[in-house]
Amino acid sequence: MSSENTNTHAEGADHGEHEGMDKKRIWRIFWILAGITTVEFIIALGISPHLKGAAHSFINPAYIILTLFKAYFIVAFFMHLKFEKVGLIMAIIVPVLFIIGLILVLTNESHYWIDLRM
C-alpha cells in the first residue's frame, strides 16, 4: 500500500510540474518564435541594409530586444524554467548579485589607482 501511494504521488508530481505545457501551448510558442524570427530576418536582410546613419542606430536595439524575447520564450517554456520559480530566481538573482558586487569592488579599486596617479 505504501508503494502504491508513492507511485501515485510521483505520477501526480510529474504531471503537476509540466501541466502548463500541452500541445496547444507548444504550438503557440512555436508560432510566436517563428514570427519573431521572421521579423528579425526582415530587419536584418530587408530593412537594415537600406538604412544609413541615425535610422540604423534604432534598428540594432530593436533587433536585440526581439532576440531577448526569443531567448525568454526558449528558456521559459522549452527549458521549463517558467515552471520552476525558485530555480529561476536563484539562477538569475545570485549571478546578478555577484556582478553588482564585482562592479562595486572594481569601481572602488579604480578610484584607488586614480588617486595614486594624482
Side-chain angles (χ1 to χ4, degrees):
M1 180 141 158
S2 174
S3 65
E4 287 178 16
N5 232 355
T6 307
N7 288 340
T8 305
H9 178 66
E11 290 172 8
D14 186 40
H15 177 69
E17 180 180 332
H18 301 290
E19 68 181 310
M21 289 301 291
D22 56 348
K23 286 183 182 181
K24 183 178 177 183
R25 177 172 272 182
I26 291 172
W27 280 108
R28 191 175 82 215
I29 299 300
F30 169 78
W31 289 114
I32 290 171
L33 290 172
I36 292 173
T37 303
T38 303
V39 171
E40 285 178 338
F41 269 102
I42 291 170
I43 289 172
L45 301 175
I47 297 173
S48 185
H50 302 292
L51 295 178
K52 306 256 190 283
H56 196 325
S57 65
F58 290 111
I59 293 296
N60 287 336
Y63 192 77
I64 291 170
I65 290 170
L66 288 170
T67 303
L68 289 174
F69 277 133
K70 270 179 39 176
Y72 165 75
F73 280 110
I74 291 168
V75 170
F77 293 101
F78 292 119
M79 295 175 69
H80 303 285
L81 288 182
K82 183 174 181 173
F83 307 109
E84 298 179 17
K85 302 287 188 216
V86 175
L88 183 60
I89 290 170
M90 294 305 283
I92 292 174
I93 297 287
V94 171
V96 167
L97 291 176
F98 278 119
I99 291 170
I100 290 171
L102 179 66
I103 290 170
L104 292 174
V105 167
L106 291 176
T107 303
N108 189 27
E109 188 70 21
S110 67
H111 288 299
Y112 172 76
W113 286 103
I114 290 170
D115 290 343
L116 279 180
R117 288 186 172 204
M118 292 184 180

